[in-house]
Amino acid sequence: MPPDRRSLPPAVLIAGLGGLAAASIVLFLTVGAKGSWSFILTFRGTKVAAMVLVGYAIAMSTVLFQTITNNRILTPSIMGFDALYRLIQTVLVFQLGSAAVAGFDPRLRFGIEVAAMVAFSWLLYRWLFSGSLRGLHLLMLVGIVFGVLFRSLSGFLQRVIDPNEFLVVQDRLFASFNRVDAQLLAVSALVVLAVSVVVWRKAGVLDVLALGRDAAINLGVDHRREVMQMLVTVSILVAVSTALVGPVTFFGLLVANLAYLLVDTHRHRLILPVAALVAILVLMSGQLVLERLLGFNGALSIVIEFLGGIVFLIILVRRAAR
Amino acid sequence: MIEVRNASKSYGETLVVDDVSITLPAGGVISLIGANGAGKSTLLSMISRLLPVPAGTVTVEGMDVTTTPGDVLARHLSILRQDNQMTARLTVRDLIAFGRYPHSKGRLTVEDQGHIERVIRYLELEAVAHRFLDELSGGQRQRAFIAMVLCQDTDYVLLDEPLNNLDVKHAVAMMKLFRRTADEFRKTIILVLHDINFASCYSDRIVAMRNGRIAHQGPPEDIITPCVIRDVYGVEANIHEIDGKRVALYFR
């Protein structure tokens, strides 16, 4: 009996998305190129690498987070990651001054940011996550409260800071692919690769976790341990992408839900690659629009959150209507 | 054999399961009955390790449920709770295939496929096997979930109100299926039931709970009596024997 699925066969879908993503990369590298190719390709190549990496990390972290929370309208940012990143940036500039911060070894700063974000989330999980579903909800609630606390603290510091320094802070808080350090890219790529291997091997367990806590326990999955492990994985991915380019909140929500729409399946071995490809495609075309059509007048997060917001509303309204 | 020794559980100040000790023998259909809030579902969740056991012990075939690794237990005991909402988009066949996860960890063998096909046939789900769960009626979805736990092929199958959402025809078919599974494959089926007449007609043994304790237990003829039903539910019932089965009338 032929299954009455509306979506394309997975192989076709992945090949198609892969082709589109590759095309968007080529377009991004070549459109409007004037002058020395070796310079342009290196310059834009770094940006492309950053976008691929960040898109991949955000797509994966959002899908994982939604799987363990059994909720498709949450993103890891609910745990206060973005806010913590803001706070770290603000405190650094406030305490040391923008000149000192700019003089930092970028690898050191990156290391500190990632370590702080992962440590924060790990402590929160250890403290609060008892293993029950209520525990997971409590964890998210406390994450939101911490997010508000961090935001208020950085808001306060930004008000009392020297106005020139404030501009520096503000600039750092918009996601941007224009100031990515090539050295950091290599380190991040390694981290993300290592995490991906773990996640790929756990894909079967993830499928089971998506059934919900009771069903997962019934099927013999150590729910508490697996969820803890995935939460830590998510924090690493979010920390890396945030430390690289800054907070891109809405983006994950958008690409994860687009991926669910595209592949009518529960299998993470399909959802994860599709989400990653969608993420790369969206980031590339977004940046292309930003740089070539809008002439750099804005940050990528503005484009993504504008379009993402519209798409997301459409998805929600359509689902409510069904 | 499932042995519960001095198990207790409280939510805040309220004791929901109060120092319960009971031995459930292997084989047959056992029904748990009792008024709302009597502690049936909580006891079932403790036996199946969905809830921790704060006091006392629960063993299944000699394995302590709190210390035995989850995947070992999953090959001996399966549980289905009442509300089964999920966000993942699954077809009926995908869901049923998950029942084989404890045995094959996601890589389905030919034997697994055989189990899946057989369960689909038993539960008359052939026509909807390729449909997505969110496109089904409540009763069809309920049967799909029951199919998943039956596909798990465990010696003990625990079901919390499995007749929810089922019409009369499917409720009867489901109870007959449980009876058959217990008789032919020597399984132990433990059900939380609200309909005492279904419990009376299909169980080997009925356990009645009241206020977190085991109030009565025994074969249907000992439990389906005016006296026990008044004690457990606080209603007056006329008991009639029809075709050798006791039926309680409590509608007036």
Side-chain angles (χ1 to χ4, degrees):
Chain A
M1 202 175 333
D4 65 348
R5 302 188 175 197
R6 283 150 295 156
S7 61
L8 298 161
V12 177
L13 181 70
I14 289 190
L17 276 176
L20 279 176
S24 68
I25 291 176
V26 171
L27 266 182
F28 182 80
L29 285 173
T30 52
V31 166
K34 285 193 220 75
S36 152
W37 278 105
S38 65
F39 169 75
I40 289 172
L41 288 185
T42 332
F43 178 69
R44 292 190 183 175
T46 316
K47 264 199 225 177
V48 167
M51 279 189 269
V52 169
L53 196 63
V54 167
Y56 179 83
I58 291 179
M60 186 148 77
S61 60
T62 310
V63 170
L64 292 182
F65 192 73
Q66 296 186 341
T67 292
I68 53 181
T69 53
N70 284 313
N71 189 322
R72 288 188 166 179
I73 53 169
L74 290 180
T75 72
S77 68
I78 200 172
M79 307 290 304
F81 281 108
D82 292 9
L84 181 61
Y85 175 80
R86 278 165 212 272
L87 183 63
I88 295 172
Q89 298 300 326
T90 314
V91 168
L92 278 179
V93 174
F94 186 80
Q95 282 295 326
L96 308 170
S98 57
V101 172
F104 260 12
D105 184 342
R107 276 165 299 181
L108 180 69
R109 210 187 66 220
F110 178 76
I112 292 175
E113 283 163 8
V114 171
M117 284 189 268
V118 173
F120 159 72
S121 50
W122 192 78
L123 283 176
L124 203 60
Y125 305 153
R126 283 306 303 243
W127 175 38
L128 288 173
F129 185 49
S130 59
S132 66
L133 203 60
R134 263 179 68 205
L136 202 56
H137 293 158
L138 178 71
L139 185 65
M140 282 185 270
L141 200 60
V142 173
I144 296 174
V145 173
F146 268 106
V148 173
L149 173 71
F150 293 155
R151 237 176 300 258
S152 314
L153 279 177
S154 34
F156 171 70
L157 289 179
Q158 283 165 16
R159 280 188 184 82
V160 295
I161 207 169
D162 176 279
N164 291 322
E165 304 275 73
F166 174 67
L167 284 179
V168 176
V169 174
Q170 202 181 35
D171 180 50
R172 287 185 173 280
L173 294 183
F174 276 115
S176 163
F177 291 90
N178 296 323
R179 45 149 206 265
V180 177
D181 188 299
Q183 290 171 315
L184 296 185
L185 266 180
V187 182
S188 316
L190 275 180
V191 174
V192 171
L193 187 72
V195 168
S196 308
V197 173
V198 174
V199 171
W200 195 252
R201 291 179 50 185
K202 287 273 178 193
V205 176
L206 283 167
D207 294 348
V208 177
L209 286 178
L211 299 180
R213 175 180 178 272
D214 292 349
I217 293 179
N218 171 45
L219 294 175
V221 166
D222 187 343
H223 183 262
R224 179 167 194 265
R225 208 190 70 202
E226 301 295 348
V227 167
M228 267 299 265
Q229 200 175 34
M230 283 306 148
L231 280 172
V232 172
T233 309
V234 168
S235 358
I236 295 173
L237 288 171
V238 174
V240 166
S241 70
T242 310
L244 265 184
V245 299
V248 206
T249 317
F250 212 70
F251 180 60
L253 201 59
L254 174 69
V255 295
N257 277 287
L258 282 176
Y260 301 140
L261 274 184
L262 286 171
V263 283
D264 258 348
T265 179
H266 62 284
R267 282 163 54 212
H268 283 79
R269 291 233 161 122
L270 272 176
I271 296 175
L272 286 172
V274 167
L277 286 173
V278 170
I280 293 167
L281 187 60
V282 171
L283 270 186
M284 285 294 166
S285 24
Q287 189 77 11
L288 202 64
V289 168
L290 180 72
E291 293 191 6
R292 302 297 149 220
L293 287 182
L294 303 177
F296 271 115
N297 287 322
L300 180 60
S301 48
I302 298 172
V303 178
I304 285 177
E305 299 200 0
F306 176 66
L307 294 177
I310 294 173
V311 172
F312 191 67
L313 277 178
I314 293 172
I315 292 175
L316 276 185
V317 169
R318 270 186 44 187
R319 199 159 59 180
R322 195 164 66 184
Chain B
M1 191 167 69
I2 293 179
E3 275 198 282
V4 180
R5 287 280 155 267
N6 307 103
S8 295
K9 169 97 189 163
S10 52
Y11 293 119
E13 296 283 288
T14 332
L15 261 179
V16 192
V17 171
D18 185 3
D19 196 28
V20 165
S21 295
I22 187 172
T23 304
L24 302 170
V29 175
I30 302 169
S31 297
L32 265 170
I33 63 168
N36 293 336
K40 310 177 297 283
S41 296
T42 306
L43 182 62
L44 205 71
S45 295
M46 285 162 79
I47 294 175
S48 56
R49 74 193 173 316
L50 292 183
L51 284 176
V53 185
T57 56
V58 177
T59 57
V60 176
E61 297 280 304
M63 293 177 290
D64 189 322
V65 295
T66 51
T67 53
T68 309
D71 56 332
V72 176
L73 220 46
R75 290 192 288 270
H76 293 273
L77 174 144
S78 54
I79 167 82
L80 182 67
R81 288 258 284 240
Q82 292 173 49
D83 42 346
N84 296 287
Q85 287 300 323
M86 55 180 61
T87 43
R89 214 161 136 69
L90 287 172
T91 64
V92 171
R93 186 184 300 273
D94 290 338
L95 179 74
I96 297 172
F98 270 113
R100 299 310 297 166
Y101 184 84
H103 304 271
S104 54
K105 298 282 179 282
R107 269 181 287 277
L108 295 178
T109 62
V110 180
E111 193 199 331
D112 292 330
Q113 294 290 359
H115 274 287
I116 295 166
E117 295 308 324
R118 192 158 55 243
V119 168
I120 289 177
R121 214 166 45 241
Y122 272 1
L123 287 155
E124 295 168 25
L125 288 165
E126 295 99 329
V128 293
H130 61 278
R131 299 256 301 270
F132 284 101
L133 286 175
D134 54 4
E135 300 165 348
L136 301 183
S137 73
Q140 288 170 323
R141 204 175 312 149
Q142 176 73 358
R143 281 190 288 142
F145 278 100
I146 291 172
M148 178 183 79
V149 290
L150 290 181
C151 196
Q152 213 172 322
D153 195 27
T154 52
D155 291 337
Y156 296 86
V157 182
L158 279 56
L159 300 151
D160 196 348
E161 292 182 36
L163 304 185
N164 260 3
N165 287 322
L166 296 187
D167 58 28
V168 176
K169 177 187 164 207
H170 284 109
V172 170
M174 192 60 73
M175 290 306 291
K176 281 188 174 150
L177 178 71
F178 294 151
R179 195 62 260 173
R180 212 173 117 199
T181 316
D183 294 339
E184 288 178 21
F185 303 102
R186 300 283 311 135
K187 308 275 184 200
T188 312
I189 316 274
I190 302 173
L191 312 164
V192 169
L193 286 182
H194 271 307
D195 189 328
I196 48 182
N197 291 327
F198 266 124
S200 167
C201 294
Y202 287 95
S203 322
D204 297 304
R205 199 180 168 76
I206 299 178
V207 176
M209 289 185 74
R210 195 193 53 222
N211 296 335
R213 291 169 179 270
I214 308 287
H216 305 271
Q217 55 171 317
E221 52 271 28
D222 293 352
I223 302 296
I224 308 301
T225 63
C227 177
V228 170
I229 288 175
R230 189 184 315 120
D231 186 40
V232 172
Y233 290 101
V235 295
E236 296 299 328
N238 290 320
I239 309 296
H240 298 271
E241 195 159 313
I242 302 172
D243 296 339
K245 296 287 181 195
R246 282 171 176 251
V247 176
L249 290 181
Y250 45 80
F251 300 105
R252 286 185 299 149

